[in-house]
């Protein structure tokens, strides 16, 4: 059973979501204590976290930042409707996705399942299953990657996005196609998820010898993973 940690100080909302998630087959633990949540993430005792940004004592951004120092457990942020600053801050710190409050339980479940599909292993994983693009080697079966001979630490969402680009290395891929393949849904207007996540991946890959980023963006069109010269 998938273990969900729901971190929110809204008692009515957490009760509603806990009951709905339980009906959908999730095992749910709730807390309003950010420090307790960090400890559970560090102990690898949960499969996914739902984290509200507006929290007492320690806000969700601070909690996420500390969790990411200890764990790559998937995190879905709950954000105020229209608050792009918090959304982008959360994505920059490694959140996998976000849902605006008030949210429907059905939408939350759908997002959680999508994140878990992107984050979890899909099979045993063999060398034959590896995807190679220059010095990048991705293993879709185990959702792991190596860059220049060393493990590349990626969140589940980052892996999905980079996998799409690696499968089309050297080609421009539209943001709409990236969204469909990585997220399983069309890109919505003003959605910055792809841009923010790929910015993080860029930093992890570093720069090419010629000073260019390995991931190139073409404004208004999409992204391209450059091949080795």
């Amino acid at each position: 059973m998938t273990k969900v940690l729901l971190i929110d100080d809204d008692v009515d909302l957490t009760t509603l979501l806990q009951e709905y998630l339980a009906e959908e087959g999730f095992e749910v633990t709730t807390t309003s204590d950010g420090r307790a949540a960090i400890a559970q993430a560090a102990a690898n005792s949960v499969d996914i976290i739902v984290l509200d940004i507006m929290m007492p004592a320690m806000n969700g951004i601070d909690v996420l930042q500390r969790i990411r120092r200890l764990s790559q457990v998937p995190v879905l942020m709950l954000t105020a409707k229209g608050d792009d600053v918090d959304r982008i801050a959360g994505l920059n710190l490694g959140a996998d996705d976000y849902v605006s409050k008030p949210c429907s339980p059905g939408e939350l479940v759908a997002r959680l399942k999508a994140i878990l599909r992107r984050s979890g292993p899909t099979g045993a994983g063999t060398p034959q299953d590896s995807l190679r693009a220059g010095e990048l080697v991705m293993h879709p079966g185990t959702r792991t990657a190596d860059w220049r001979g060393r493990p590349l630490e990626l969140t589940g969402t980052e892996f999905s996005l980079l996998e799409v680009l690696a499968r089309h290395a050297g080609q421009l891929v539209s943001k709409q196609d990236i969204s469909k393949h990585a997220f399983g849904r069309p890109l919505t207007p003003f959605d910055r998820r792809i841009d923010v996540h790929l910015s993080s991946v860029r930093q992890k890959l570093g720069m090419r010898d010629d000073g260019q980023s390995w991931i190139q963006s073409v404004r208004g069109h999409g992204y391209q993973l450059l091949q080795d010269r």
Side-chain angles (χ1 to χ4, degrees):
M1 183 177 292
T2 301
K3 296 180 180 180
V4 179
L5 176 60
L6 177 57
I7 310 167
D8 199 320
D9 63 329
D10 186 331
V11 176
D12 292 335
L13 178 62
T14 54
T15 300
L16 170 66
L17 294 179
Q18 184 174 23
E19 292 175 353
Y20 192 92
L21 289 169
E23 291 176 359
E24 292 291 320
F26 294 92
E27 180 181 331
V28 186
T29 302
T30 66
T31 184
S32 60
D33 185 342
R35 290 178 176 82
I38 294 166
Q40 290 192 54
N44 295 315
S45 61
V46 296
D47 299 307
I48 192 166
I49 292 173
V50 179
L51 173 61
D52 184 31
I53 285 185
M54 299 301 294
M55 296 277 292
M58 182 184 294
N59 66 44
I61 295 296
D62 291 337
V63 173
L64 175 61
Q65 188 171 32
R66 297 193 186 188
I67 286 174
R68 278 293 171 259
R69 293 173 185 167
L70 305 167
S71 170
Q72 289 298 317
V73 61
V75 176
L76 174 69
M77 302 291 292
L78 296 178
T79 68
K81 188 173 183 179
D83 196 339
D84 289 337
V85 174
D86 280 343
R87 292 175 183 175
I88 292 173
L91 293 174
N92 275 326
L93 289 173
D96 291 87
D97 205 345
Y98 61 80
V99 172
S100 298
K101 295 174 68 175
C103 65
S104 72
E107 180 185 7
L108 180 65
V109 167
R111 294 291 182 91
L112 288 174
K113 289 181 177 179
I115 293 171
L116 289 166
R117 283 196 299 271
R118 297 197 298 267
S119 302
T122 58
T126 66
Q128 289 75 20
D129 296 327
S130 298
L131 169 63
R132 294 178 177 272
E135 295 185 81
L136 173 67
V137 183
M138 306 190 75
H139 312 284
T142 55
R143 306 285 292 178
T144 57
D146 298 301
W147 174 240
R148 295 182 166 178
R150 295 184 177 182
L152 180 63
E153 296 293 333
L154 299 169
T155 66
T157 298
E158 291 170 353
F159 185 96
S160 295
L161 292 171
L162 185 56
E163 181 183 4
V164 173
L165 295 182
R167 291 189 182 280
H168 301 84
Q171 304 174 35
L172 180 67
V173 187
S174 72
K175 289 176 66 175
Q176 191 65 250
D177 284 342
I178 293 172
S179 182
K180 288 178 181 177
H181 289 294
F183 299 141
R185 61 178 184 267
L187 187 70
T188 56
F190 311 111
D191 192 330
R192 296 289 310 281
R193 290 179 182 87
I194 292 174
D195 304 306
V196 176
H197 285 301
L198 285 181
S199 175
S200 175
V201 176
R202 272 196 182 114
Q203 294 179 24
K204 293 178 180 181
L205 295 178
M207 304 298 289
R208 288 162 48 102
D209 293 338
D210 59 7
Q212 294 189 74
S213 170
W214 284 97
I215 297 177
Q216 295 288 302
S217 62
V218 179
R219 189 176 181 83
H221 294 280
Y223 287 90
Q224 176 183 7
L225 176 64
L226 296 184
Q227 296 179 309
D228 294 333
R229 290 187 177 276

